[in-house]
Amino acid sequence: MQMLADLWNSPKSANTIGCSTTGSSEAAMLGGLALKWKWRERRRAEGKLTDRANLVTGPVQVCWHKFCRYWDVELREIPMDGDCLIMTPEEAVKRCDENTIGVVPTLGVTFTCQYEPVKALSDALDRLERERGLNIPIHVDAVKRRFSRTLRRARSGMGFPPATRKINQRIRPQVGPCSSRCWLDHLAPR
């Protein structure tokens, strides 16, 4: 850490303590913690228990296994099944309840590099909110492009044209590592 502090011209680099992250797993930990803390804050404000958090993910993203183990969150991973190797909105919604801190679709699933359907998932969670009152955020794990962005709610106009995968509207609320909200403007393959 002292070398990094020196690299960034910290006036007290010799006495610097802390850590740095360079990988997506660390970013996932921060995003997951933000989801859990926001959920816990909401539950406490409603006078409800906060000891049964769960997280819904697609298959084979090991960082979410680690997050759930380290931070006492039940992992509700959607398994690969036959020809379906990614999260589907139907399978995700089946695993959601009042203790779900978030749903994590991945853009670039580890084994297949497929993009999980963020727009369809957002629409399914909107329906779930209308029907059962569950407001569950999305955290997009964009490991294929080595970045993660936050997304907000939009009720219409969100599209994923297959040729470009452009996202130009906001969707469901999402809590990022810094509890920030921003736009995901473009996910075109480079």
Side-chain angles (χ1 to χ4, degrees):
M1 192 65 207
Q2 291 172 350
M3 290 188 320
L4 286 174
D6 188 50
L7 178 66
W8 290 101
N9 299 313
S10 171
K12 298 182 181 180
S13 62
N15 297 321
T16 299
I17 60 170
C19 66
S20 64
T21 66
T22 58
S24 60
S25 290
E26 292 86 354
M29 297 294 163
L30 294 174
L33 280 174
L35 288 171
K36 183 174 181 181
W37 291 341
K38 287 291 189 182
W39 169 82
R40 186 176 58 193
E41 184 180 292
R42 225 175 25 253
R43 298 280 293 173
R44 284 182 178 155
E46 297 170 352
K48 296 179 180 176
L49 296 175
T50 61
D51 62 340
R52 309 265 329 208
N54 68 68
L55 181 70
V56 177
T57 71
V60 304
Q61 298 302 108
V62 174
C63 64
W64 297 111
H65 286 252
K66 293 177 190 177
F67 167 77
C68 289
R69 184 178 327 118
Y70 299 160
W71 301 106
D72 196 26
V73 173
E74 175 193 352
L75 177 63
R76 293 186 177 176
E77 181 179 48
I78 299 167
M80 290 187 269
D81 184 29
D83 291 336
C84 187
L85 305 177
I86 61 173
M87 172 192 304
T88 65
E90 299 76 24
E91 289 297 317
V93 167
K94 284 195 309 192
R95 290 165 172 79
C96 291
D97 62 26
E98 67 178 3
N99 294 315
T100 303
I101 65 173
V103 175
V104 182
T106 301
L107 301 181
V109 174
T110 305
F111 288 175
T112 65
C113 295
Q114 290 176 285
Y115 283 47
E116 292 180 323
V118 177
K119 166 65 170 121
L121 181 59
S122 177
D123 291 344
L125 290 172
D126 284 344
R127 282 190 299 279
L128 182 66
E129 183 175 7
R130 284 190 303 273
E131 294 166 6
R132 296 183 38 207
L134 300 176
N135 184 357
I136 299 170
I138 288 174
H139 175 87
V140 175
D141 186 346
V143 297
K144 188 172 182 180
R145 298 285 165 242
R146 298 281 183 226
F147 67 88
S148 170
R149 302 273 182 115
T150 55
L151 302 172
R152 292 191 65 188
R153 172 176 321 215
R155 298 293 182 193
S156 64
M158 175 78 184
F160 284 88
T164 62
R165 298 203 186 280
K166 287 186 180 185
I167 299 175
N168 57 14
Q169 298 289 324
R170 295 184 290 175
I171 63 172
R172 293 199 68 73
Q174 196 279 333
V175 180
C178 300
S179 298
S180 63
R181 295 173 190 253
C182 65
W183 292 68
L184 182 54
D185 296 318
H186 188 68
L187 288 177
R190 297 194 191 285

